Amino acid sequence: MPYLVHSEAERQEMLAAVGANSMAELLADVPTELRLSELELPAGLSELDTMAEIRRLAAKNQVFSDRLCFRGGGVYQRFIPAAVAAVLAKPEFYTAYTPYQPEASQGTLQATFEFQTLIAELTGLAVANASLYDGATAVAEAAVMAVVQTGRHEVVVAPFLHPEYLEVLRCNARGRGFRVVQDLNAVGDATAAVIFQQPDFLGLLVEAPDLTKLAHQHGALAIACVDPISLALLAPPGEYGADIAVGEGQQLGLAASLGGPHLGFIACRQQLTRRLPGRLVGQAQDGSGRRGFVLTLTAREQHIRREKATSNICTNHALCALAASVYLTYLGPDGLRQVAEVSCQRAHFLAQRLSELPGVRLAYPERPFLNEFPVRMSQLERRLAGLSQAGILGGLQLGRWCPDLADAATFCCTEVNDPDAIEQLITALAAAA
Amino acid sequence: MKHAPEPLSFEKSRAGLAPPRLPKAGVPSSAALPDHLRRQRAPELPRLSEPELLRHYSRLASLNFSISEHFYPLGSCTMKYNPVANEEAARLPGFAQLHPYQEEASIQGALELMWRLEQALCAIVGVDRVTLQPAAGAHGEWTALRMIQAFFESLGESRPEVIVPDSAHGTNPASAAMCGFKVVQVRSGADGRVDVADLHSKLSTRTAALMLTNPNTLGLFEKEILAMAAAVHAVGAKLYYDGANLNALMGICRPGDMGFDAVHLNLHKTFTTPHGGGGPGAGPVGVKADLAPFLPRPTVEAEGGCYRFDFDRPQSIGRVRSFYGNFGMLVRAYAYILAMGSDGLAQASEDAVLAANYVRKRVEHLLHLPYAGFCMHEFVASAGRVADGRVRALDIAKGLLERGIHAPTVYFPLIVPEALMIEPTETESKATLDAFVEALVEIVELANSDPAALRAEPRSLPIGRLDEVAAARQPVLRWSRTLDSGEKAPADGSSPQGDPRQPAAVPVPTA
Ligand SMILES: Cc1ncc(COP(=O)(O)O)c(C=O)c1O
């Protein structure tokens, strides 16, 4: 049977060594009325047949070529250097677990320490943790930090936080017992945090420094949800004084993969370090003075503090954090800047070309954006269907979340959408009207 | 083997190194970002050439123990073989390239996979519906408790308490607290199982749920499970199953039949998705019909050979994460279930139980076994009596590392002093199990003859024992230039002081 290792003779030998006559004897603690005769599942398959079934399912999905994907909304097609896959494929990384034993885990620990530094550098904040599940849960964890830190029970969310992040935040808030308010005028003495996304869900830039000031005027924390690639160009949260930065790291070398597994990150001011959720890796020394790395400040965590822990997170997204580290180290500061700039320029070119089409206009022509933006267009549904037939994954329709934008979609560009792809999109869109 | 220390990527960085060749914009530039929103100082990312980068990570990889190379009997974590075919499956472009906001018609295969995985998990654990959204076990616990909370809210009942055994994993009470519940602890009896009398005294109409692991974290089957389920249901509360230990039970019995109302599964344990150095995993949650209306949105539904998301679920707790869960992990787990089938899964659990009992039997003269009788897929021993207490569980753990074996989980569960929690899994050969026992024999001999020598292990690994107390007192959590040149970081008044709660030199649980 696949992946099992014993011969029948070895099983008998082991049973005899244990002093049992049968497996039934070993399982005698299980009440007989609970014993199953068989699982209601098909019998196992050969690897050949397993993979044939898996391939059948994969083939039922439509795969859009990267360069013809103009849909973002939190997940973006980007160039992933081969180095990322090469490192992730190393079984020394992917078949290890949480580095509880530092002497046997320096690879994972050092890579995580490097990841923490990369995120701290990008966000301009003092400390970052080892990873969270995704951008949405990272927002919720940051909100909990703020509620505990301030002792207040309300967070105010600026317009156009990713709607799914908002939904996750609400789900957490209802459980934990704090309110989520979507009205910046409501910021006041009861506010634990002001949460905003930069760029926002539509791709538009918000006045992050002003929102931070607003929070601080009322003794609340400022939580910035940021796009890590944008931070090559945009002021990082630490520069404008935000207390906590969180975000989704999928763009840092991870496949779209229908939305996961991706990467949540969180960074904060030094004073909030002990409120951080999840693993933290710190530098340490051994008996002979050699530098090593170790899980630290564990007194925040569930395995020590149980119900008093800062979070319940245990398994995190370490391998995704490793991908992000390889990606950022591959690019370096200049490469990252170039990726961000190319994406930004291409998106502005696309916006220009789109607004030349009859029946198409930018939804917020006066608002600055980076590499994603909303457009309103006539016959939106029909046009997007036309694009799909042409093998192009067009913009993301906004109507299901924003009734005021029922005739609008966001389009994004990254370095994978070359100028020819942009022209292909424009031609197909004009033809589909 | 010599281990040269590997510098940090930041320390290997060379100023002036050009970035890799990347595409140029190739379009006229018209972007104008407002100055006040622009970054002032570039982030200090390392600059490494591709060959240096790959060597850096290869060297780091060589410093890790991993299942691929080492026996890894880390109790509670089910460190079994991660099939390589599953890695291939998840990387297929038909899965890896899918955008989460593609139209349903263009992701029918992905939806079908999720639907089929849900059916399979329902059959394995005996529940009516499963959500695949939670990202890990703890996330699944929290999701299920949120559903139970919403269920009681819908009945207009206030039930502020969740009962958790003293042997429970730390995530259980932490998840309950993240959900706003008060945690009530129930004692374990002398036989290592929940003290049923104590449970009765804690149960009331204030109880929302009892969280149980079965087999429990001592590797013992809760024999009174049917009586406990009846008692929980008699006060109108729900019974929650922490599925971390499901590897003992596949094809043997089902949590749903025991009376559990909600179940989380760790696909990264029982269903072989790799642990990734700490994740990502996946923590699907299964529920009985009465909790199903509260499942996170969306669910996946099948109709006439077509599959769709159902967002229209008015009683849903909402979302617990973005999109539809760790889809790449779901692909791997489904491939595993297909390959194993009903026969293979049952054999896997039997072999896991057999291996644990075999090791347990062979170490009974070396370690103290606080609970009599057979165990399930893992067991907990105490190192407290080794060499008359002159060494600790931690020393045994380090001795194993020195001998090329990953340590068991130590100091967990909390109710066994000097605990060593050993889970061999079904994918380790008898020869490997025997080698583990021989290593333990050697370690115990050394503990008796020269305990100081054991306390000095490991000697031949990349690093010796680290001063964790000092590391926590003055935490250095990132590289910086000042660190590099050996200068002290400037005292800005904000540098964290030692945490008085950090246990001084008390070893901490590792699961
Ligand atoms: C008994 C038990 N419960 C819960 C968990 C939490 O699962 P996860 O780490 O996937 O969040 C674990 C594992 O770490 C465990 O061993």
Side-chain angles (χ1 to χ4, degrees), chain A residues 274 283 296-297, chain B residues 469-477 488 495-498:
Chain A
R274 281 162 212 272
Q283 189 176 294
T296 193
L297 300 185
Chain B
V469 175
R473 193 170 294 134
Q474 286 292 333
V476 176
L477 305 173
K488 278 230 158 61
S495 72
Q497 296 306 302

Side-chain angles (χ1 to χ4, degrees), chain A residues 97 314-315, chain B residues 76 136-138 141 169 171 217 242 244 264 266 268-269:
Chain A
Y97 190 36
C314 176
T315 290
Chain B
S76 207
E141 294 168 16
H169 193 262
T171 52
T217 60
D242 174 340
H264 93 249
N266 305 63
H268 44 298
K269 298 183 180 181

Side-chain angles (χ1 to χ4, degrees), chain A residues 11 56 60 62 71 96 101 104 108 121-122 134 164 175 207 233 235 257-259 274 291 316 334, chain B residues 11 25 36-37 39 44 47 64-65 96 98 101 106 112 179 277-278 321-323 351 398 478 497 499:
Chain A
R11 288 195 179 102
R56 177 187 74 79
K60 276 178 73 180
Q62 185 179 356
R71 193 168 293 184
Q101 296 291 341
T108 295
E121 272 299 322
L122 274 182
D134 71 345
E164 296 199 8
E207 291 297 330
L233 303 177
S257 192
L258 203 70
R274 281 162 212 272
R291 176 177 71 179
N316 58 16
D334 304 323
Chain B
E11 294 160 347
H36 72 287
L37 297 180
R39 183 164 193 134
E44 198 162 331
R47 296 166 206 264
N64 269 3
F65 278 31
L98 300 181
Y101 289 138
S106 73
E112 181 177 343
C179 240
R321 57 154 289 164
S322 55
F323 314 116
D351 283 0
K398 302 306 181 192
R478 53 161 297 175
Q497 296 306 302
D499 184 341

